[in-house]
Amino acid sequence: MKTTATSCSNIAFIKYWGNADPQLRIAANPSLSMNLADLTITATVQFDPDFPSDTLTINGEHVTGGAAERVFRQMDIIRQKANFSHRAKIATESNFPAGAGIASSAAAFSALAVAGAAAAGLALSEAELSALARRGSGSACRSVPPGFVQWLAGGTDETSFATTIAPADHWDLVDVVAIVSAEHKAVGSTGGHALADTGVLQAARVASATERFIAAKEAVLAKDLPALGTVIEEDAVMMHGVMMTSRPPLFYWQPATLAVIHAVYQWRADGIPVYFTIDAGPNVHLICERPHAAAVESLARALPGVQKTMRSGVGGGARVLPSP
Ligand code: DP6
């Protein structure tokens, strides 16, 4: 059977960085995110006993090598659950430009889990789909449930999954992404997670992560932007401190990254409630409420180091699309 599913990307307020179990992608700490309605990926999966091998196209381009192998490994987990060995034809399409500097693995592996499980005839719960997405990319588990989402690290494959803490319409937050570099990063997240424990700061970050997670969760539930903003900025900078002091160091920031951070401080001093977070790359996510999003976007675009911006509100969960 051939099935198509769609999934949003997500932006973490409290970051997943480092694994307790790298094979299973069981995180070292709990994380919290919101789905991004306007950054989506659709995945189509078809299993057929007559296919000689797995094949993957991304935005129409045939893909082989490491990226494809990672997707095929996720299909292996699905095949094992479905108890068959049919090969798969897999296609993903993103609605945002590939190579825009926006990580797409979360949306991709979430959509692949949902499409793949349905194509294999598996009736999995949301928690099981989230755990399956996690095996492809940790942060992908948070794109399966809708809205504002928590991932309690758990300790086992079955207990490490994400759940909704509030629906998408709970709070009209916007993520304005200031793209300062669209270059493909030299070290991706998977390589970065493996370095986390090589420095001395990760232990302190993990030890204090639950406290920040609880503060951020309470702030989301209370729709308290200053409280949320304060803790997400601290959490992001702490993760980058871990990265910068790993051995070897991972330094994702560019001069323009810091320029945007300083601009955010100035905008706040000028009365615009906006806060930043930064993933494993140089681009800066500007989090604000909808009424301020247009102003934040035009201010960001006017900064010299900002090449372009993208904007997204809060999104729903991953879902199977009706067949055409
Ligand atoms: C900085 O989920 O991309 O975006 O499991 O190796 O695919 P893999 O890592 P990934 O790591 C995400 C790191 C982050 C923070 C976050 O999204 O929580």
Side-chain angles (χ1 to χ4, degrees):
M1 203 172 111
K2 181 170 161 179
T3 308
T4 300
T6 185
S7 176
C8 298
S9 186
N10 71 74
I11 178 67
F13 293 149
I14 299 298
K15 306 297 187 185
Y16 150 52
W17 197 248
N19 283 304
D21 183 329
Q23 247 63 51
L24 292 175
R25 290 187 152 82
I26 293 173
N29 65 276
S31 57
L32 188 80
S33 57
M34 78 176 201
N35 281 350
L36 298 173
D38 302 304
L39 302 178
T40 63
I41 288 188
T42 60
T44 302
V45 178
Q46 181 179 12
F47 291 103
D48 194 314
D50 292 334
F51 292 156
S53 60
D54 288 329
T55 55
L56 172 67
T57 60
I58 299 180
N59 296 326
E61 305 265 328
H62 186 66
V63 176
T64 56
E69 293 304 323
R70 188 167 164 185
V71 171
F72 302 158
R73 278 200 298 276
Q74 200 192 27
M75 295 301 133
D76 287 339
I77 300 169
I78 293 170
R79 280 187 277 257
Q80 207 175 11
K81 285 186 196 290
N83 208 11
F84 63 54
S85 59
H86 311 336
R87 300 292 106 183
K89 188 191 262 187
I90 308 148
T92 67
E93 299 272 346
S94 58
N95 80 334
F96 51 98
I102 293 300
S104 53
S105 69
F109 282 103
S110 162
L112 284 163
V114 171
L122 294 169
L124 302 186
S125 66
E126 184 190 84
E128 288 168 325
L129 289 168
S130 173
L132 176 60
R134 192 202 76 238
R135 299 288 295 274
S137 175
S139 57
C141 76
R142 297 191 312 246
S143 279
V144 173
F148 296 87
V149 174
Q150 66 180 9
W151 171 18
L152 303 178
T156 62
D157 190 26
E158 292 75 26
T159 56
S160 187
F161 58 84
T163 54
T164 295
I165 63 156
D169 63 3
H170 164 72
W171 193 10
D172 202 2
L173 283 187
V174 175
D175 178 7
V176 175
V177 194
I179 314 266
V180 305
S181 169
E183 259 172 52
H184 200 76
K185 49 200 180 203
V187 181
S189 306
T190 306
H193 289 296
L195 290 176
D197 279 322
T198 61
V200 299
L201 297 188
Q202 171 73 347
R205 194 194 69 86
V206 170
S208 55
T210 298
E211 204 177 301
R212 286 188 301 284
F213 170 82
I214 291 168
K217 183 172 168 177
E218 283 174 357
V220 167
L221 295 176
K223 295 186 252 188
D224 182 341
L225 185 60
L228 178 67
T230 304
V231 70
I232 73 174
E233 289 188 351
E234 182 181 312
D235 190 79
V237 173
M238 205 176 281
M239 177 182 73
H240 281 271
V242 169
M243 293 163 163
M244 291 171 193
T245 52
S246 295
R247 296 174 186 170
L250 263 182
F251 214 104
Y252 285 115
W253 291 14
Q254 297 289 333
T257 310
L258 196 53
V260 178
I261 292 173
H262 281 292
V264 169
Y265 294 151
Q266 185 57 50
W267 299 336
R268 278 215 296 275
D270 295 342
I272 300 172
V274 54
Y275 296 82
F276 69 83
T277 184
I278 307 168
D279 272 349
N283 302 317
V284 185
H285 295 253
L286 305 166
I287 308 296
C288 61
E289 289 178 309
R290 175 80 57 188
H292 297 286
V296 166
E297 188 162 22
S298 64
L299 282 166
R301 278 194 182 163
L303 293 174
V306 174
Q307 296 170 0
K308 63 174 197 155
T309 55
M310 297 203 280
R311 201 207 289 200
S312 179
V314 189
R319 62 195 165 87
V320 169
L321 294 177
S323 41

